[in-house]
Amino acid sequence: MTTLKKLCVFCGSSSGRDSIYVEEAKALGKYLASEKIQLTYGGGSIGLMGAIANAAYNEGQNRVLGIIPIGLCAREISGETVGEQIQTKDMHERKRLMAENSDGFVALPGGFGTMEELFEVITWQQLGYHKKPIGVLNVNGYFDSLLTFLDEARESGFVSEEARNIVLSDDDAERLIEKMRGYTAPRGVIEQEF
């Protein structure tokens, strides 16, 4: 059983075109607050980042840690961080600190940054750098194509069955968190956790 006291969430700095994305980001944030799970996130207050951060913060009743590169700190770019803030010199340091300040990772809908962060933690686990659960909250079928791609990569022999099973998914936040709590990571290529 994986203990989740701190959860890193990757998500868009945009809200998307359908209000369901913001609603589900808020629902996940409220669930984290109700479970007293710290949110570790990218540090902005706009888009889905702002929606989940404000809901998870719960008017100061829950810990929220925003980690943001100094170059993105301008209000017109990312808004204001909700909760505590760590400023980093670059994106590499940001991602390292986000990983160090989490017991697992969830991706909500987002763009290139969200996908890059998601695939990096997947790769880190495949290699053996961590054993933390990784999930995608498949809001409104947003990740259907990605999950199909992962299945096709497995079927084509580019991703092993073990590696494919690294990515957990559900369309319900509470069920996804429960899957993550029950997750056991496969043996990595190397075993060198950070």
Side-chain angles (χ1 to χ4, degrees), residues 2 9 17 19 22 37 41 43 45 55 80 89 96 102 107 117-120 123 129 135 146 159 161 192:
T2 301
V9 176
R17 290 197 174 109
S19 62
V22 170
I37 298 172
Y41 81 115
S45 64
E80 294 183 16
K89 64 181 178 181
R96 180 182 57 79
S102 69
E117 291 165 331
L118 173 63
F119 274 96
E120 184 160 49
T123 302
Y129 288 118
L146 175 66
V159 172
E161 185 71 32
Q192 184 180 345

Side-chain angles (χ1 to χ4, degrees), residues 107-139:
L108 288 170
F112 293 135
T114 301
M115 296 304 139
E116 187 273 336
E117 291 165 331
L118 173 63
F119 274 96
E120 184 160 49
V121 296
I122 293 167
T123 302
W124 286 350
Q125 186 173 120
Q126 181 182 8
L127 293 174
Y129 288 118
H130 75 85
K131 296 186 177 296
K132 301 171 184 181
I134 303 166
V136 295
L137 186 56
N138 195 14
V139 177

Side-chain angles (χ1 to χ4, degrees), residues 26 111 145 187:
K26 288 179 181 177
S145 297
R187 180 165 172 74

